[in-house]
Amino acid sequence: MPGEGEDASAEAGPTTDSAGIVVIGGTTLARRVCASLGESGHPVDHLAAPDDQELRRALAVQPAGVAVLVGDDLSALRYALAVRHVCDTVRIVVTVFDRTVAQQLQSLLRRCVTVSPADLLAPTLAGLCVDPDALAVWNDGRGAVAVRHEAESHEAESHEAEPHEERLSQEEWLPQGEGLPHGERLVETAWRASPAARRRAVLGRLRGQLQPHDADARLLLIGLLGIVAVLALDWLWLVSVFHKPVSTAFLEAARVVAGVGPAVPHDGHPGYEVVSGVAMLVTVGFTALLTAGIVDRLIGPRLVGVLGPRVLPRSGHVIVVGLGQVGLRLCQTLRQLGVPVVGVEREPAAPNLRLARSMGIPVVLAHGEDRAVLARLGLGRARALAAVGSHELDNIAVAVAAHGVAPDIRVVLRAGEDEAIAETRSLLPLGLTRDITRTSAAYVTAHLTAGPAGAGALPRRVVADADRDYVDLPGRGLVGWPVPAGDDCGHVAGGLGEPRGCGGCGAAAGDAVT
């Protein structure tokens, strides 16, 4: 094992002493992977956007591995197929975000590993949202699991000082691993929110029922409740005063609501006839409101429900700003943990809105940096806010607005190593920041260098800390995996081949996913 502070990836070494590694792509992630491999002593051939001839020349001597880290799934698919056509045994690591494409690639191409940076970072972001002491929290199908730092000499005290909101149990110590800070180890525990946190979440969902957020839902609800109120009051009058049978009273009340008047005259009761006439006139207005609300919801996106699972939670929830690749995966992870979530997206045509609706995730179309929007979403009663858009400066603006609305709110930021982010960290405690590019680079380099061929030696997951990532290697536990802070690999200039706003995640500004 390397000593404290040593680079664990250097010990892993390349799979062979002579063969190098081919990196394809001009994205930030590709440059970061190239720089990391170069620093650890692995020969790298970095090609930004090779044609078929350049690819054949690079693969003439079979490399130890090929990383396809391009900016869209179609290019990734083409390069992966071309690499496998030239070299039928080389290990391929490719970033793919469409899960259907990823499954097909892995089934068609032997020794091909698909990587989604959004999927890699989602457990870490979810852990920060629900438990500030956790490195990551996820649901493995058998229950929620958390990974945290533990001080070796203060095990008992750490458990007693645990926050009452997120009580952990059933502890299982992981292998010590390499690259961990001295005197600390990582602990994996079963995670479950406290009864108080679960109670707040349930009450927040209940409070969200019949509390419309947008105008069309309010029109629909006002019209519906108005008509129901007129129907109920007229029926109650007929049953209690005129002693009508229940069914007959309902028929007459329905005639009043429908605007065709009482079923029969009521001699000696002019007051009822006047009230019925007024009720018919009022119902016309309620019917107009109901119709307008129904039409708006039929032709609109219907991203937030008025009743049911897609209503906006009012407390104990997490607000996720930015429904790109990372935002959608984070919402999924939080829902799997049983945490209420609401998404905020500013682009009405964002492709992930359809997927969010099919998953039952309520989404508000608005700007996340608008303080009025955050206040309307109940930020002060929320568990956390995650600013995970693809534009880092927008995430900063969201964090600043969030602190202005609720100074004590827990803010989680998705970022890279942008200079503006680094400066803002020193000027303002924005929140808990994680670098998706660094974390993805650690996982990709681990796949390329972590051992001989065979699934048993390959990394299973990665969790991100503030200044270091930990790759879970079979038999070695969570191993510290340093990655260079910069992305200057010396081969490809910054920005080449990278769509604006991808942030190393391989998605364009719209962050499309299926």
Side-chain angles (χ1 to χ4, degrees), residues 395-414:
N395 293 339
I396 294 176
V398 171
V400 172
H403 285 297
V405 174
D408 297 328
I409 189 67
R410 186 185 308 160
V411 176
V412 178
L413 283 161
R414 163 213 172 166

Side-chain angles (χ1 to χ4, degrees), residues 183-199:
E184 290 191 0
R185 53 185 172 183
L186 296 177
V187 57
E188 183 174 298
T189 67
W191 183 88
R192 183 176 173 84
S194 71
R198 295 197 300 273
R199 187 163 54 250

Side-chain angles (χ1 to χ4, degrees), residues 26-361:
T27 61
T28 303
L29 176 57
R31 298 194 302 273
R32 188 76 64 87
V33 168
C34 180
S36 179
L37 292 171
E39 283 197 1
S40 57
H42 298 81
V44 182
D45 188 1
H46 190 173
L47 308 173
D51 56 25
D52 291 343
Q53 293 183 350
E54 292 173 328
L55 192 59
R56 284 183 177 276
R57 283 195 295 268
L59 301 176
V61 177
Q62 179 165 311
V66 177
V68 181
L69 311 174
V70 294
D72 64 272
D73 285 356
L74 290 180
S75 296
L77 177 63
R78 182 177 72 83
Y79 279 125
L81 293 174
V83 170
R84 178 57 72 231
H85 176 71
V86 177
C87 297
D88 58 357
T89 60
V90 67
R91 181 188 302 175
I92 305 174
V93 180
V94 53
T95 50
V96 177
F97 302 92
D98 187 303
R99 287 180 171 175
T100 302
V101 176
Q103 291 171 0
Q104 291 301 314
L105 266 180
Q106 289 188 303
S107 63
L108 294 174
L109 303 183
R110 188 169 61 92
R111 300 189 66 200
C112 178
V113 176
T114 59
V115 176
S116 169
D119 284 328
L120 293 179
L121 196 64
T124 293
L125 296 176
L128 297 178
C129 290
V130 301
D131 185 350
D133 295 327
L135 286 179
V137 179
W138 68 91
N139 192 315
D140 62 1
R142 297 172 296 177
V145 178
V147 173
R148 298 183 300 130
H149 277 296
E150 281 284 334
E152 292 183 359
S153 58
H154 301 287
E155 176 181 346
E157 293 83 350
S158 175
H159 291 286
E160 293 176 0
E162 201 170 284
H164 72 278
E165 287 191 350
E166 323 297 345
R167 188 72 62 182
L168 303 176
S169 61
Q170 303 177 17
E171 296 190 352
E172 175 184 350
W173 297 106
L174 299 176
Q176 174 62 31
E178 299 91 15
L180 297 179
H182 179 68
E184 290 191 0
R185 53 185 172 183
L186 296 177
V187 57
E188 183 174 298
T189 67
W191 183 88
R192 183 176 173 84
S194 71
R198 295 197 300 273
R199 187 163 54 250
R200 285 199 303 273
V202 171
L203 291 177
R205 289 192 183 99
L206 292 177
R207 289 179 56 195
Q209 306 295 324
L210 299 179
Q211 287 194 19
H213 171 76
D214 48 2
D216 62 326
R218 281 195 291 272
L219 291 176
L220 187 151
L221 190 60
I222 292 172
L224 178 62
L225 293 180
I227 292 174
V228 170
V230 171
L231 179 67
L233 291 175
D234 193 86
W235 176 85
L236 185 62
W237 190 328
L238 293 172
V239 170
S240 60
V241 176
F242 298 146
H243 306 291
K244 294 279 188 179
V246 172
S247 58
T248 303
F250 177 78
L251 176 61
E252 292 194 21
R255 288 170 61 86
V256 171
V257 170
V260 296
V264 294
H266 295 276
D267 297 333
H269 295 277
Y272 173 73
E273 294 178 356
V274 173
V275 171
S276 296
V278 173
M280 284 187 284
L281 294 176
V282 170
T283 305
V284 172
F286 286 137
T287 303
L289 293 178
L290 178 64
T291 304
I294 292 175
V295 170
D296 285 342
R297 293 193 68 79
L298 287 177
I299 64 176
R302 289 179 291 169
L303 301 174
V304 179
V306 179
L307 189 69
R310 283 195 299 114
V311 300
L312 289 182
R314 299 297 177 174
S315 63
H317 56 294
V318 175
I319 300 173
V320 177
V321 180
L323 276 190
Q325 291 284 348
V326 178
L328 186 64
R329 299 289 189 252
L330 175 58
C331 288
Q332 285 182 288
T333 304
L334 291 170
R335 290 291 292 269
Q336 291 169 357
L337 296 173
V339 178
V341 62
V342 55
V344 180
E345 173 58 50
R346 67 184 180 185
E347 295 294 338
N352 284 351
L353 294 180
R354 174 181 56 83
L355 294 174
R357 180 186 171 191
S358 67
M359 296 172 186
I361 299 171

